[in-house]
Amino acid sequence: MLENGKISIRQFSILVILFTVGGSILIVPSGLASEAKQDGWIAGLLALGIGLLLIPFYYALGHRFQDKTISEYSEDLLGKWVGKLISLLFFTYFMINAGLTLRNIGDFMTTQFIPETPIEAIFIVFLAIVIIGTRNGIEPLSRSAEVLFPLVILLFIILSTSLIPEIKFENIQPVYEVGIKPIIRGAIPFIGSTFLELVVFLMIFPFANKTNQLRNSFLTGTLIGGIILIFISLLAILTMGSEVTARHLYPSYALARKINVADFLTRIEAILAGIWFVTIFIKLTVFFYASALSLAQTLKLKDYRFLTLPLGMILMVLALVLGPNIVAIEKFNKYILAPYSFTFGFVFPMLLLAISTFRMKGVKKNSSQ
């Protein structure tokens, strides 16, 4: 194996939580409110329910090949050339998602914090940290996530409690006014940009201890991460209203600016930024790690670490060419990412699971004869 590190069940669950929250904490409330209006939180619950249904499916595939990543057993199941093609497609999927994540970092920083700074400079700084994290391997990354996780939860609690005076329950009334179709339309991008992307953890399954407990760990991480996103979306609608939430590019960040506790505790949007920096670092590093490891395994290389620098350069270019501006990136996330993620997050894994099931039945039948 190209990776010798091992992570605990707890670390795996924390990685899933932070990955799920990722960059979604900034953009999900806007997408839910733009389609489902004040019922955006209902669309979020629908998306979370579907996301939780994906986890037993991923676990079934990963548990069947406990010592291999999805890039490795794709070749075992589909043959050398078709398997390599599927592995390379997964590598492309991981890289494109890493590029989108990096672009989200650059867009947020240049629009909210340092507008005069070239976006390329921001890419270089973040990529340097991500490359270091990737080269160290999955075990140090998981330990870092474990250390940072209590900070994320603490900041989330401070943010949530500080917004209590701003809540207006009339902003979510009447409930279920828009009907089921807008709720479904709101849930689809959420599923594509958050839960279908969890297929990347099939690259990490072999490095987790006690694989028989991974199913519950995976479900717990997805559930907690999804609840955090839905709760932030609900807070945004409750405090700002669905129309204002839908108009904001980063409604969660605008939400944090509304905090005012006794005219003393105000403008603490740095809290949300702190949550976002930690979670999006984990998400980008997991995608980049999966990209490097997948390509190394597909090409039968002895190590993946020497790939990190050239892949980092490619990732920087990719982040620049994926869209000419924020509007193009938003349209990509809304209309293209969901079917694209559905292909790699459901269709291909389902194909692999079906083939492995038929092969196991064939082996049992032959052995019984």
Side-chain angles (χ1 to χ4, degrees):
M1 295 178 70
L2 297 178
E3 172 64 72
N4 297 318
K6 285 291 183 179
I7 63 176
S8 67
I9 293 298
R10 170 185 166 85
Q11 289 170 339
F12 184 87
S13 186
I14 289 173
L15 275 179
V16 173
I17 293 170
L18 297 181
F19 179 91
T20 303
V21 174
S24 300
I25 194 171
L26 286 177
I27 60 176
V28 159
S30 177
L32 292 176
S34 63
E35 293 290 349
K37 309 302 179 185
Q38 70 268 24
D39 293 329
W41 61 279
I42 301 178
L45 288 174
L46 175 62
L48 176 59
I50 295 173
L52 291 174
L53 292 176
L54 291 170
I55 304 307
F57 164 57
Y58 291 152
Y59 173 77
L61 184 57
H63 187 67
R64 191 163 291 180
F65 303 92
Q66 295 183 19
D67 298 326
K68 294 184 178 182
T69 68
I70 192 170
S71 293
E72 292 176 309
Y73 53 74
S74 292
E75 191 169 336
D76 294 341
L77 292 172
L78 300 173
K80 182 178 181 181
W81 298 111
V82 177
K84 283 187 180 295
L85 175 62
I86 295 298
S87 297
L88 287 173
L89 288 174
F90 270 109
F91 159 73
T92 304
Y93 173 69
F94 298 148
M95 279 292 286
I96 289 177
N97 277 281
L100 287 170
T101 305
L102 183 63
R103 181 57 183 262
N104 288 336
I105 293 171
D107 287 339
F108 177 69
M109 294 295 291
T110 53
T111 56
Q112 304 297 323
F113 284 105
I114 42 178
E116 301 299 323
T117 303
I119 196 171
E120 294 84 358
I122 297 169
F123 288 165
I124 291 171
V125 172
F126 269 87
L127 273 176
I129 302 171
V130 169
I131 288 172
I132 292 171
T134 302
R135 291 177 69 88
N136 285 332
I138 191 63
E139 191 171 338
L141 176 65
S142 301
R143 290 177 180 175
S144 301
E146 194 173 20
V147 171
L148 293 170
F149 181 67
L151 175 64
V152 171
I153 296 301
L154 176 62
L155 292 177
F156 177 71
I157 292 172
I158 293 173
L159 176 68
S160 303
T161 53
S162 300
L163 284 167
I164 291 175
E166 304 291 329
I167 289 177
K168 299 175 183 177
F169 286 101
E170 59 267 24
N171 286 336
I172 62 169
Q173 297 173 348
V175 176
Y176 200 64
E177 182 188 32
V178 298
I180 189 63
K181 290 184 178 179
I183 290 175
I184 293 174
R185 287 199 304 267
I188 289 174
F190 188 12
I191 297 168
S193 65
T194 305
F195 299 113
L196 285 170
E197 291 179 352
L198 292 172
V199 70
V200 71
F201 281 90
L202 291 178
M203 293 295 300
I204 300 176
F205 257 65
F207 314 124
N209 295 319
K210 300 179 181 178
T211 53
N212 59 322
Q213 298 180 19
L214 269 180
R215 182 177 181 272
N216 290 336
S217 177
F218 208 168
L219 280 169
T220 301
T222 305
L223 178 63
I224 294 174
I227 288 174
I228 290 174
L229 293 176
I230 294 169
F231 191 70
I232 285 290
S233 302
L234 180 60
L235 278 177
I237 296 172
L238 282 170
T239 56
M240 298 189 298
S242 59
E243 292 186 5
V244 176
T245 300
R247 285 200 301 267
H248 274 291
L249 185 61
Y250 304 112
S252 303
Y253 189 69
L255 177 69
R257 288 182 170 181
K258 289 180 65 65
I259 293 174
N260 186 348
V261 180
D263 292 326
F264 174 74
L265 190 65
T266 61
R267 297 298 297 270
I268 55 173
E269 57 268 21
I271 288 180
L272 185 76
I275 298 173
W276 179 78
F277 279 126
V278 172
T279 57
I280 205 163
F281 161 72
I282 296 298
K283 183 170 186 175
L284 178 55
T285 307
V286 167
F287 268 133
F288 190 68
Y289 170 82
S291 301
L293 184 61
S294 174
L295 183 61
Q297 290 175 337
T298 303
L299 301 179
K300 305 297 182 184
L301 303 177
K302 294 182 178 180
D303 193 13
Y304 71 88
R305 290 171 176 84
F306 76 94
L307 293 173
T308 54
L309 187 57
L311 285 180
M313 296 178 181
I314 294 172
L315 187 61
M316 181 173 171
V317 175
L318 186 62
L320 291 170
V321 302
L322 278 172
N325 49 53
I326 296 178
V327 176
I329 293 293
E330 288 298 309
K331 287 184 177 180
F332 181 90
N333 289 335
K334 186 174 182 180
Y335 299 108
I336 300 176
L337 187 59
Y340 182 63
S341 294
F342 180 77
T343 302
F344 289 92
F346 183 78
V347 176
F348 283 164
M350 177 61 76
L351 174 66
L352 295 174
L353 185 61
I355 293 173
S356 67
T357 301
F358 287 135
R359 286 196 175 185
M360 288 178 66
K361 288 182 178 178
V363 170
K364 289 181 180 178
K365 185 177 181 181
N366 292 332
S367 62
S368 64
Q369 293 175 350

